[in-house]
Amino acid sequence: MQDNNLRMKMNGKRRRRREIGILFTSIILCLITLFTITVCMIMVFRYRTVQAQNVEVMNELEELQDTFTQEEVDAMLEKRTEEAALLASEETQEEILEKMKELMQSGDGTLNMLRYFYPDEIVVVDNSQYLFFPILDTLKAHTYLPENFVKTDDDLLEYYEDGKLISHKGIDVSRYQEKIDWEEVAKDDVEYAFIRVGIRGYTEGDITEDPNFESNIKGALRNNIETGIYFFTQATSVEEAKEEAQFVLDAIEPYNVTYPVVLDVEAVSAKNARTADLTKEERTEYAIAFCEMIKGAGYTPMIYGNLKTFLIMLDMEQLEEYDKWLAQYDTELYFPYAFKVWQYTDEGNISGISTDVDINISFGDFGD
């Protein structure tokens, strides 16, 4: 009887040691992982713990847009890891760690990991910070299905519905593509081309025409390639936005432009950029001024940008009526809102163009 009691005690101690060992191993792995991948584990533990313990913390996420730097993550690491280890169940911890291991072994970085664990938010990196934006029901969502995208043997992206190809292959070009053989481009099944008409300088603010604009638009039209236009904006007032629109309208007046006229909204990293201190509200106001002039002249206005453009620089709720052209260099779409054109690579290979070129996929007919 005493032997049985002793064995039971020993077995109980062994079980406790195994449990402690498992927990300790999980914590050590967590520490190592978090040291290299920033904020992911902290937020994941909190998020999963909330699900496991039914703790009401979602209101906190809705009221505050969380941004964390690497330094802040390191400072919270020790405290939060211990807290999470105590609160989260072993099953939850193992599930999280196993998924993290899987993502790390597949080569996915911090950003993709955060996007996996936060499917109801859009995660954007800006100035070494991770920003979380709730997906808004007030904005129209796109209806493209991931399984309908097909990557060809030539690394081109196509979109099918009911077995029928509905997407259109296009490019966008500027002086950086140098001299283009548009006859060869047409033979490569390019249906449309967005051609840069000009830019406004980010320091002096002068508007200049792209040196290859005329040869590009004439070459595209001569070879029956539908044309759209884009202008790189650095407007700092409504007046400048209207000036840019008028410059575009004057330049394209002689040509049959059937695809959208696009405002290219991108951040300039230079500290002396004229637009460096613009607010989201200001940029949105200038974009509207440009688009309204283009629409008033009978063309289809469109706004080009990446995730930073649409989530940080512009207020999409005020720009809902204008078509969007998304720049995201990937074959897996990460953008929930409606858009008409997707620039999915800047390293495309097209006959007749000696340099890398942006390739786009569009989901609608704009032409005649």
Side-chain angles (χ1 to χ4, degrees):
M1 186 68 173
Q2 288 179 341
D3 290 340
N4 288 336
N5 290 337
L6 181 59
R7 276 195 295 270
M8 290 176 63
K9 290 180 180 179
M10 292 297 293
N11 289 336
K13 289 181 179 179
R14 290 194 192 99
R15 282 196 300 272
R16 285 194 291 275
R17 282 201 296 270
R18 281 199 300 269
E19 292 170 354
I20 293 171
I22 292 171
L23 183 58
F24 181 77
T25 301
S26 298
I27 294 172
I28 292 300
L29 179 57
C30 177
L31 284 167
I32 293 171
T33 304
L34 277 169
F35 185 78
T36 59
I37 67 165
T38 74
V39 70
C40 178
M41 197 62 228
I42 298 301
M43 294 305 297
V44 167
F45 266 127
R46 293 188 66 192
Y47 186 78
R48 294 296 189 178
T49 301
V50 167
Q51 290 182 320
Q53 303 297 328
N54 295 319
V55 180
E56 295 295 329
V57 297
M58 291 306 296
N59 290 335
E60 179 183 350
L61 291 175
E62 294 175 352
E63 294 173 0
L64 181 63
Q65 176 180 295
D66 295 328
T67 62
F68 294 99
T69 65
Q70 180 65 57
E71 290 75 19
E72 290 172 325
V73 171
D74 291 339
M76 293 188 295
L77 179 57
E78 183 176 354
K79 176 182 177 182
R80 293 302 188 188
T81 302
E82 181 180 354
E83 176 184 332
L86 292 172
L87 292 177
S89 68
E90 286 186 18
E91 181 180 352
T92 300
Q93 290 183 46
E94 290 174 3
E95 176 188 350
I96 294 168
L97 294 173
E98 188 61 34
K99 186 60 186 180
M100 287 181 64
K101 183 193 294 184
E102 176 188 330
L103 291 170
M104 291 183 71
Q105 289 176 337
S106 66
D108 289 319
T110 305
L111 184 58
N112 285 336
M113 197 174 297
L114 287 173
R115 288 173 175 175
Y116 172 84
F117 283 112
Y118 287 86
D120 297 325
E121 296 181 80
I122 309 171
V123 186
V124 184
V125 178
D126 182 43
N127 294 325
S128 300
Q129 291 183 319
Y130 297 94
L131 293 90
F132 298 76
F133 296 89
I135 297 176
L136 302 177
D137 294 334
T138 54
L139 292 177
K140 184 178 179 180
H142 72 71
T143 57
Y144 312 129
L145 301 176
E147 60 268 25
N148 288 357
F149 286 99
V150 175
K151 190 175 183 181
T152 71
D153 293 338
D154 297 327
D155 288 332
L156 298 174
L157 204 58
E158 297 177 339
Y159 189 79
Y160 290 80
E161 284 187 356
D162 298 324
K164 180 182 178 181
L165 177 66
I166 68 163
S167 61
H168 303 275
K169 174 183 176 182
I171 60 175
D172 57 273
V173 299
S174 67
R175 68 179 181 89
Y176 297 110
Q177 276 64 55
E178 303 173 355
K179 184 176 176 59
I180 297 175
D181 185 337
W182 284 98
E183 184 176 355
E184 289 298 314
V185 172
K187 291 179 182 178
D188 204 356
D189 298 324
V190 172
E191 300 178 57
Y192 60 91
F194 284 102
I195 296 169
R196 190 173 76 169
V197 62
I199 64 171
R200 185 189 287 276
Y202 66 83
T203 55
E204 300 300 324
D206 296 330
I207 294 178
T208 58
E209 183 176 295
D210 187 292
N212 289 12
F213 165 68
E214 187 173 344
S215 62
N216 280 337
I217 194 168
K218 287 180 177 179
L221 291 173
R222 189 166 52 245
N223 289 277
N224 299 314
I225 296 173
E226 302 278 2
T227 60
I229 300 296
Y230 74 97
F231 180 89
F232 179 78
T233 180
Q234 285 292 287
T236 58
S237 67
V238 169
E239 290 69 30
E240 286 192 351
K242 291 181 177 180
E243 181 187 15
E244 292 175 354
Q246 190 59 57
F247 169 83
V248 173
L249 293 173
D250 291 342
I252 67 176
E253 195 277 331
Y255 305 105
N256 184 29
V257 175
T258 53
Y259 262 60
V261 175
V262 183
L263 185 67
D264 181 353
V265 183
E266 300 179 59
V268 176
S269 58
K271 293 182 179 180
N272 61 338
R274 302 168 70 246
T275 54
D277 296 324
L278 291 183
T279 65
K280 175 185 284 193
E281 185 62 36
E282 288 171 332
R283 290 184 191 273
T284 302
E285 183 181 10
Y286 308 156
I288 292 173
F290 179 95
C291 289
E292 285 301 300
M293 277 194 66
I294 297 302
K295 184 171 68 173
Y299 298 96
T300 300
M302 179 178 278
I303 300 172
Y304 167 93
N306 53 24
L307 291 176
K308 180 175 179 179
T309 300
F310 292 124
L311 296 172
I312 300 175
M313 298 173 65
L314 296 173
D315 182 355
M316 287 192 66
E317 291 187 279
Q318 295 188 55
L319 301 172
E320 181 79 325
E321 68 174 282
Y322 306 114
D323 290 336
K324 310 297 187 305
W325 175 7
L326 174 67
Q328 184 207 328
Y329 301 144
D330 199 349
T331 54
E332 293 187 8
L333 182 60
Y334 184 75
F335 189 71
Y337 303 124
F339 65 94
K340 289 290 185 68
V341 183
W342 178 10
Q343 183 188 84
Y344 63 89
T345 182
D346 61 349
E347 298 179 340
N349 183 19
I350 296 292
S351 298
I353 301 179
S354 60
T355 67
D356 288 343
V357 62
D358 301 333
I359 299 184
N360 303 275
I361 183 173
S362 66
F363 307 89
D365 290 314
F366 295 102
D368 292 334

